[in-house]
């Protein structure tokens, strides 16, 4: 039974927004749950934990009670989100032209475990985000020049925050990965400060911040061309055993 204080809706992930084949892109589903539960450009960071892969084209139950939102399927917990009072560190700004040049070193061009990924996959222009982070010299950063497709807006012509979360997602993994390597996103904590505009150009920057056993840690940011911070995130990935 849904109480008066609990909000419940049905959510379905279109196949377009996939990460690994057959499941949702982690950043997109994290951002979708966040925006649906807390609103666009929420005034604090939101920590989203991915407990299990989210299936595509399937009716899912989204519930928001107090400070916690959950996404479930047939009673199984898939995603859990909670608003947190945390300031997120952002990797240093990389100018758009430099970030775009770094794409030439993208490890996924050599071997990509999930070439159909909405965020970093080798998708047709306009279909996916085509964010290809490559190393920026010896700075320890990876970066890509993000050209926001006109095809990612909602019915009002606005780029949803979920798209920005997707942009923040995979870059933190590619800060670790060599060609053919992969891991699965376990947790993404992010805050979107400003809108992203269709057709705009932005820098996506990330850095690896550590490793603990199978857990890989990273931070990412989206910047406007003048260096204004649009969004920041920190991520935990789980590498295969």
């Amino acid at each position: 039974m849904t109480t008066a204080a609990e909000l419940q809706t049905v959510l379905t992930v279109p196949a377009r927004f996939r990460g690994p084949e057959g499941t949702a892109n982690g950043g997109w589903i994290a951002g979708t749950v966040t925006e649906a539960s807390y609103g666009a450009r929420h005034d604090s960071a939101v920590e989203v934990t991915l407990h299990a892969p989210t299936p595509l084209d399937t009716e899912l139950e989204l519930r928001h009670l107090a400070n916690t939102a959950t996404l479930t399927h047939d009673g199984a917990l898939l995603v859990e989100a909670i608003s947190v009072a945390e300031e997120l560190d952002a990797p240093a700004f990389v100018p758009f032209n430099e970030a775009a040049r770094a794409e030439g070193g993208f490890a996924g061009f050599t071997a990509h475990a999930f070439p159909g990924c909405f965020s970093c996959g080798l998708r047709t222009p306009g279909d996916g985000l085509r964010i290809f982070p490559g190393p920026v010299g010896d700075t320890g950063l990876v970066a890509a020049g993000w050209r926001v497709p006109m095809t990612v807006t909602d019915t009002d012509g606005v780029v949803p925050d979920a798209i920005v979360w997707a942009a923040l997602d995979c870059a933190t993994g590619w800060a670790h990965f060599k060609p053919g390597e992969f891991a699965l996103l376990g947790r993404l904590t992010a805050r979107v400060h400003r809108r992203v505009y269709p057709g705009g150009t932005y820098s996506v920057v990330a850095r690896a911040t550590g490793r603990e056993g199978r857990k890989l840690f990273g931070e990412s940011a989206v910047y406007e061309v003048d260096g204004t911070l649009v969004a920041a995130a920190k991520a935990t990935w789980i590498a295969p055993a």
Side-chain angles (χ1 to χ4, degrees):
M1 177 181 296
T2 302
T3 67
E6 181 182 12
L7 299 177
Q8 179 175 338
T9 57
V10 174
L11 186 153
T12 301
V13 182
R16 179 188 184 189
F17 301 112
R18 63 191 180 275
E21 288 300 317
T23 63
N25 171 269
W28 187 89
I29 193 60
T32 295
V33 168
T34 294
E35 190 166 5
S37 302
Y38 302 99
R41 291 172 296 285
H42 182 53
D43 58 5
S44 68
V46 176
E47 177 187 279
V48 182
T49 302
L50 307 181
H51 291 274
T54 299
L56 305 173
D57 296 323
T58 303
E59 287 193 351
L60 310 169
E61 297 78 41
L62 176 62
R63 294 182 174 87
H64 186 196
L65 178 62
N67 192 38
T68 302
T70 59
L71 186 69
T72 61
H73 180 229
D74 289 341
L77 180 62
L78 305 176
V79 179
E80 185 175 22
I82 184 169
S83 181
V84 293
E86 181 176 358
E87 294 297 325
L88 298 172
D89 294 327
F93 171 59
V94 176
F96 177 82
N97 288 343
E98 186 177 354
R101 286 195 296 271
E103 294 174 18
F106 177 53
F109 288 147
T110 301
H112 198 313
F114 306 120
C117 175
F118 175 69
S119 176
C120 67
L122 311 178
R123 302 269 288 268
T124 303
D127 182 34
L129 298 185
R130 293 175 60 85
I131 297 173
F132 305 136
V136 182
D138 58 359
T139 63
L141 301 173
V142 295
W146 182 26
R147 306 149 187 88
V148 182
M150 301 296 292
T151 55
V152 295
T153 60
D154 61 19
T155 55
D156 296 321
V158 175
V159 177
D161 280 6
I163 299 297
V164 184
W165 280 68
L168 291 164
D169 169 14
C170 296
T172 56
W174 289 109
H176 288 273
F177 302 156
K178 294 180 175 62
E181 291 184 338
F182 73 94
L184 297 178
L185 185 67
R187 176 173 291 161
L188 188 64
T189 305
R191 182 178 178 188
V192 179
H193 298 275
R194 301 168 66 88
R195 284 182 60 180
V196 160
Y197 292 90
T201 53
Y202 299 83
S203 295
V204 177
V205 187
R207 64 187 173 200
T209 57
R211 180 165 189 158
E212 182 180 305
R214 292 169 54 206
K215 293 182 178 180
L216 312 176
F217 305 100
E219 296 172 342
S220 61
V222 176
Y223 287 99
E224 295 183 350
V225 292
D226 65 356
T228 300
L229 180 66
V230 172
K234 69 174 185 178
T236 301
W237 294 78
I238 310 299

